[in-house]
Amino acid sequence: SVVAEGVETKAQVERLREIGCDYVQGYYFAKPMPVNEFEDLLKKQKIRNTIPISRVIREEKERGKILLIDEDADYREKVQKSFEGQYDILEASDADSALDCIADAGSDAVSAVILSMTLPEDGAVRLLKVLREDPVFWKIPVLSTIPGGEVVDELPMTMETEDFLCKCHPQIDMRRRVERMIRVAEYQERQCTLQDQANRDYLTGLLNRRGLWTAIDYLRSEDLPLVIMLFDLDNLKEVNDTWGHEKGDQMLQFFTELLRSQTRSDDILCRHGGDEFL
């Protein structure tokens, strides 16, 4: 077991949970104190001591949903009880009803998918294909379940999921793995959001220079040839000096909307400088 000491913020706690740390200690929970104060604290926290830290953190958020797709009704009931009080479990017995569940709940509301790899009529293969290729669903982490370890080689699609587990394993293993998948997915989403913010101009929402070079790095030979158009707005300084920067900002935002309305969704749009657009 791994213990991290010196933990002072909630962000540090969440990050340590994401990378699989078992125990944390530090000022985030309490600072050194006299014995009598410590005894009082223990008395107050007796009930809370039984609650996993992952649940304490999640209590501050809206309870998420886990989509359980399995042909075995008894196993679905077993999993349902395992996550009771932590997540809402959506159940499906085949691929088609699973896709309907996701569509009804909304992709953002589904925190993870637990998928049986032995669904009839290649249901797991069909479902994974949709989850991995649809831009709406591909971020949802998937835990695949299999009857036993000896069948892994017979189910190569198992390796297309974030993790897999034999159904004979204790349910606590499933809870840990699902929790870890969700934490990793949340962390990656935050990283993507930060990266996107770093690559975009705060006023117009267009790419900034850093974002432009990132986009250029992702260009492929199939994207060529291309045309580059540079727009330089006239009199922006005069507008700022005469009517104030708020009017100048409105001028930039107006041109941004004009640019968006006259270009395609897959064109690269950039505010290259103060009054320069590309």
Side-chain angles (χ1 to χ4, degrees):
S1 297
V2 178
V3 180
E5 297 187 354
V7 179
E8 299 185 1
T9 66
K10 179 181 175 182
Q12 291 172 342
V13 174
E14 292 182 338
R15 177 61 179 139
L16 288 164
R17 290 286 301 172
E18 286 161 1
I19 61 176
C21 186
D22 301 290
Y23 299 97
V24 293
Q25 175 270 325
Y27 280 15
Y28 175 72
F29 301 100
K31 296 185 178 181
M33 64 188 73
V35 173
N36 59 332
E37 291 182 21
F38 181 60
E39 290 173 349
D40 291 339
L41 183 64
L42 278 182
K43 291 174 184 176
K44 292 177 184 177
Q45 294 190 341
K46 269 186 178 179
I47 297 176
R48 190 156 200 160
N49 286 344
T50 63
I51 304 175
I53 188 172
S54 55
R55 282 186 57 191
V56 174
I57 292 172
R58 196 190 311 113
E59 282 172 1
E60 301 174 13
K61 305 175 183 178
E62 184 180 352
R63 193 159 76 172
K65 295 180 175 66
I66 294 176
L67 176 57
L68 170 62
I69 312 156
D70 199 288
E71 67 277 20
D72 185 343
D74 291 338
Y75 188 73
R76 294 201 304 270
E77 183 179 359
K78 186 178 178 181
V79 175
Q80 181 84 250
K81 291 179 179 177
S82 178
F83 285 97
E84 190 173 9
Q86 299 183 48
Y87 290 91
D88 294 327
I89 302 294
L90 308 175
E91 293 187 28
S93 58
D94 57 70
D96 293 332
S97 57
L99 290 173
D100 290 340
C101 279
I102 295 178
D104 292 341
S107 61
D108 292 339
V110 178
S111 303
V113 171
I114 301 173
L115 172 63
S116 168
M117 298 307 292
T118 53
L119 288 178
E121 301 178 356
D122 288 330
V125 175
R126 291 191 293 113
L127 188 58
L128 273 176
K129 184 177 177 61
V130 173
L131 290 173
R132 290 300 180 241
E133 293 181 0
D134 192 311
V136 177
F137 301 141
W138 70 270
K139 291 181 181 179
I140 302 176
V142 179
L143 172 74
S144 56
T145 58
I146 54 179
E150 69 279 356
V151 300
V152 173
D153 293 336
E154 302 169 20
L155 300 169
M157 288 297 288
T158 301
M159 308 313 294
E160 297 295 322
T161 62
E162 276 68 29
D163 203 351
F164 68 90
L165 185 70
C166 299
K167 290 184 178 180
C168 58
H169 281 210
Q171 283 296 299
I172 191 172
D173 282 353
M174 173 172 286
R175 290 199 302 272
R176 285 173 175 170
R177 289 169 187 251
V178 169
E179 289 276 3
R180 180 174 175 80
M181 285 194 323
I182 292 173
R183 290 195 303 271
V184 169
E186 290 174 346
Y187 173 74
Q188 291 173 340
E189 186 175 354
R190 288 199 300 272
Q191 292 295 97
C192 288
T193 300
L194 290 173
Q195 184 175 8
D196 186 61
Q197 290 174 349
N199 286 333
R200 291 197 178 274
D201 172 55
Y202 75 96
L203 178 65
T204 62
L206 302 182
L207 296 178
N208 54 25
R209 267 189 297 241
R210 178 189 294 158
L212 172 66
W213 287 110
T214 301
I216 289 174
D217 287 341
Y218 277 101
L219 286 175
R220 302 162 299 176
S221 57
E222 305 94 88
D223 297 318
L224 303 176
L226 54 81
V227 173
I228 298 176
M229 292 179 284
L230 180 65
F231 302 89
D232 190 347
L233 302 189
D234 292 336
N235 304 321
L236 177 62
K237 185 177 186 306
E238 182 180 335
V239 171
N240 284 331
D241 292 344
T242 307
W243 288 286
H245 287 277
E246 184 177 350
K247 289 296 181 184
D249 289 348
Q250 290 176 6
M251 178 179 171
L252 294 169
Q253 290 167 334
F254 175 82
F255 182 76
T256 298
E257 294 307 313
L258 179 66
L259 192 59
R260 284 192 172 119
S261 69
Q262 300 299 318
T263 52
R264 299 163 297 190
S265 60
D266 57 348
D267 285 333
I268 298 172
L269 306 181
C270 168
R271 183 185 175 192
H272 198 253
D275 57 1
E276 294 178 343
F277 292 78
L278 188 144

